[in-house]
Amino acid sequence: MNIQVLPEHKLSSVAPLKQCNVEKKEVELILVKDQNGVQYTSSSVVPSPHTGPPGCSEEDERETWGKKIDFLLSVIGFAVDLANVWRFPYLCYKNGGGAFLIPYILFLVIAGMPLFYMELALGQYNREGAATVWKICPIFKGVGYTVIIIALYVGFYYNVIIAWSLHYLFSSMARELPWLNCGNIWNSENCTDPKLINGSFLGNGTSYAKYKITPAAEYYERGVLHLHESKGIHDLGMPRWELTLCLVAVVFILYFSLWKGVKSSGKVVYITATMPYVVLFVLLIRGITLPGAMDGIRAYLHIDFKQLNNPKVWIDAATQIFYSLGAGFGVLIAFASYNKFDNNCYRDALLTSTVNCVTSFFSGFAIFSVLGYMAHKHGVKIEDVATEGAGLVFIIYPEAISTLPGSTFWAIVFFIMLLTLGIDSSMGGMEAVITGLTDDFKILKRNRKLFTFATAFGTFLVALFCITNGGIYVLTLLDNYAAGTSILFAVLIEAIGVSWFYGVDRFSEDIERMMGFKPGLYWRLCWKFVSPAFLLFVVIASIVTSTGLRYDEYVFPEWSNVVGWAVAMSSMLFVPIYAIYKFFSMPGTFKQRIAYCITPEHEHHLVAEGNIRQFKLKHWLAI
């Protein structure tokens, strides 16, 4: 047997000790007995008691996806979420239409795809969650805890949006949609029939999308949220029982999708990841048959290159590509950690990130065909009905659907799409939390079902604040601060940790061990220079452009912004606090402690020998 010994700088940080996906071989045992000078031999074939190198037992073997398609659909389902439908089309329209695709695609190629590829490779090679993957550079383990906490925070309010979708879905199962007319118990005296609203009625400077006394707008704010019963974030009230029941249903769906790990979640995504595409296609076909649809699509695709002179367009493109792909939440690392060791994650990264961005662009046609219809119906410009976020999917689009023949069917189909878009993204976030912590604390891994329930129930309890009368204010605060600057900061530190401290050259060799080929120079340059620079740009832009919280006309009190930054800092502080803890928990002199902190755990014996790779200039210059 010929064993190749690699130089010390090419030693894997984890895989030689943990690579368990190797072929099982049988061993032939030959017994020789000497009796009265005559040798007797007998042989038997027994299975190998070991499936990999030392340190790997069958009990330690990590579960893997049932099929490759389970993994691909899970990644696509996580990345393709509500923002693909309610944010990208509006951003594209607002920022120069087709011209916006230039910075968007540029940032996808130079930063989005490299970060996506890096996280998939990192998780697949080390076969660990977001925290324990940092055995490659122990001082950065705090980054893992940061992204786990952020993923948990997002679950607090993201599940509420799914609960809204479920509420709307149940409400749609009626002969007449409840947001079609005024005269319901939740409507105000000022409620105005949409048929009476046109360009002359609105007057100058008033946008139809901001007109809050239509039946659809009042159903959302008064019938579902009961926002009129709250004076502000200081006056929340009790949770609404209808939304509480919907939230319970969402949490149960999440629990039973995740309780058995990827074996169960990998099957759920067959429905949740594919259904939105079917519905989007059906809605597009219906949308383009409506009067005014082509005007909406032309407005979506119009090209205004002058917009590219505006720095905000570039900031919008950078932040959108980052949040759209979902790098940094620990989800891609968690999902990839259940892959087979030799899976081609390079091809997966290109495929899934491309599918995600194409979905965003495609959804714009389904959205703007209906917005064109709305503008035509009310005799206003596209810009008067174009909006983003909850206002688009819970007010404008439902109102348009309610005027169509067979409106009940179209409403049910639309809200099923929103439900499935949200469920698999929420599953991804919760899986990142569960995998990240169960890999770090073995007692949790032994009790995964109980821990999954505890996590789901914990998110439910906090989410109750978001379904009170003033819950939309809590949700707005969390949406702005829980995964804003903090997630950008975490991914910046992650990129620096992998590319500079662990080393792009060593990371590339890890990938070569998995797939048989090294990443090209383009990817290595992006990882080392372009991606960190891009992330630094986005972090600075997010801080500079940060303004005080507001929801429509309501301006949040100053203390709520302080609370928001406290929420953001509560996750970010794990990075320096853990680094300090790690430094003081290491033995030796100051220099040796630094060395232990930035050297892969399995190479700590080299620190004792004084052979420290990171203390050599060659390490920092390598690409």
Side-chain angles (χ1 to χ4, degrees), residues 379-415:
V380 297
K381 297 177 182 178
I382 301 291
E383 63 193 55
D384 291 324
V385 293
T387 186
E388 63 177 328
L392 173 64
V393 296
F394 293 116
I395 299 176
I396 296 294
Y397 212 92
E399 180 182 326
I401 286 173
S402 69
T403 64
L404 302 178
S407 57
T408 296
F409 168 76
W410 294 112
I412 289 172
V413 165
F414 177 70
F415 289 113

Side-chain angles (χ1 to χ4, degrees), residues 13-14 122-123 126-137 144 333:
S13 65
V14 181
L122 194 63
N126 295 293
R127 306 181 67 72
E128 298 280 0
T132 47
V133 77
W134 286 105
K135 59 181 65 179
I136 64 173
C137 192
I333 292 175

Side-chain angles (χ1 to χ4, degrees), residues 347-426:
R347 184 177 56 207
D348 296 344
L350 295 181
L351 174 65
T352 51
S353 57
T354 302
V355 166
N356 174 64
C357 295
V358 170
T359 303
S360 296
F361 183 64
F362 175 71
S363 68
F365 290 91
I367 296 298
F368 270 85
S369 61
V370 172
L371 292 181
Y373 164 68
M374 285 287 286
H376 172 82
K377 190 174 180 64
H378 295 290
V380 297
K381 297 177 182 178
I382 301 291
E383 63 193 55
D384 291 324
V385 293
T387 186
E388 63 177 328
L392 173 64
V393 296
F394 293 116
I395 299 176
I396 296 294
Y397 212 92
E399 180 182 326
I401 286 173
S402 69
T403 64
L404 302 178
S407 57
T408 296
F409 168 76
W410 294 112
I412 289 172
V413 165
F414 177 70
F415 289 113
I416 285 176
M417 181 188 75
L418 292 188
L419 191 64
T420 52
L421 278 172
I423 284 289
D424 46 16
S425 297
S426 190

Side-chain angles (χ1 to χ4, degrees), residues 14-72:
V14 181
L17 299 179
K18 293 277 291 186
Q19 181 188 343
C20 301
N21 291 331
V22 295
E23 183 183 357
K24 296 183 180 181
K25 296 185 180 296
E26 294 180 333
V27 179
E28 182 178 16
L29 298 180
I30 302 177
L31 303 177
V32 181
K33 293 193 293 184
D34 192 330
Q35 188 172 355
N36 298 325
V38 180
Q39 289 186 336
Y40 297 90
T41 64
S42 64
S43 64
S44 61
V45 177
V46 297
S48 171
H50 201 271
T51 60
C56 174
S57 66
E58 290 194 19
E59 290 77 13
D60 292 333
E61 274 196 51
R62 191 176 188 81
E63 66 173 322
T64 56
W65 297 98
K67 295 178 182 176
K68 173 67 174 283
I69 192 68
D70 297 3
F71 166 70
L72 292 176

Side-chain angles (χ1 to χ4, degrees), residues 279-298:
V279 175
L280 271 177
F281 182 73
V282 171
L283 290 174
L284 173 61
I285 298 301
R286 183 66 184 100
I288 59 178
T289 64
L290 297 172
M294 288 304 138
D295 294 333
I297 291 175
R298 273 193 290 271

Side-chain angles (χ1 to χ4, degrees), residues 206-263:
T206 306
S207 166
Y208 184 84
K210 300 297 182 185
Y211 200 65
K212 294 297 184 182
I213 54 176
T214 62
E218 288 202 346
Y219 179 74
Y220 172 63
E221 293 202 336
R222 298 171 67 90
V224 177
L225 302 184
H226 290 261
L227 186 58
H228 62 291
E229 297 180 30
S230 170
K231 297 175 183 176
I233 194 170
H234 61 283
D235 177 29
L236 295 181
M238 296 298 291
R240 307 301 306 184
W241 69 267
E242 306 97 324
L243 290 177
T244 302
L245 291 178
C246 292
L247 188 61
V248 168
V250 170
V251 169
F252 266 96
I253 292 170
L254 289 173
Y255 172 70
F256 286 110
S257 298
L258 294 170
W259 69 323
K260 289 186 179 179
V262 295
K263 297 297 184 187

Side-chain angles (χ1 to χ4, degrees), residues 573-601:
L573 283 174
F574 273 93
V575 175
I577 289 174
Y578 186 86
I580 294 168
Y581 157 76
K582 194 67 182 176
F583 174 79
F584 285 106
S585 66
M586 290 288 107
T589 63
F590 180 88
K591 185 177 179 181
Q592 285 176 322
R593 288 181 175 185
I594 292 289
Y596 280 123
C597 286
I598 61 177
T599 301
E601 286 182 0

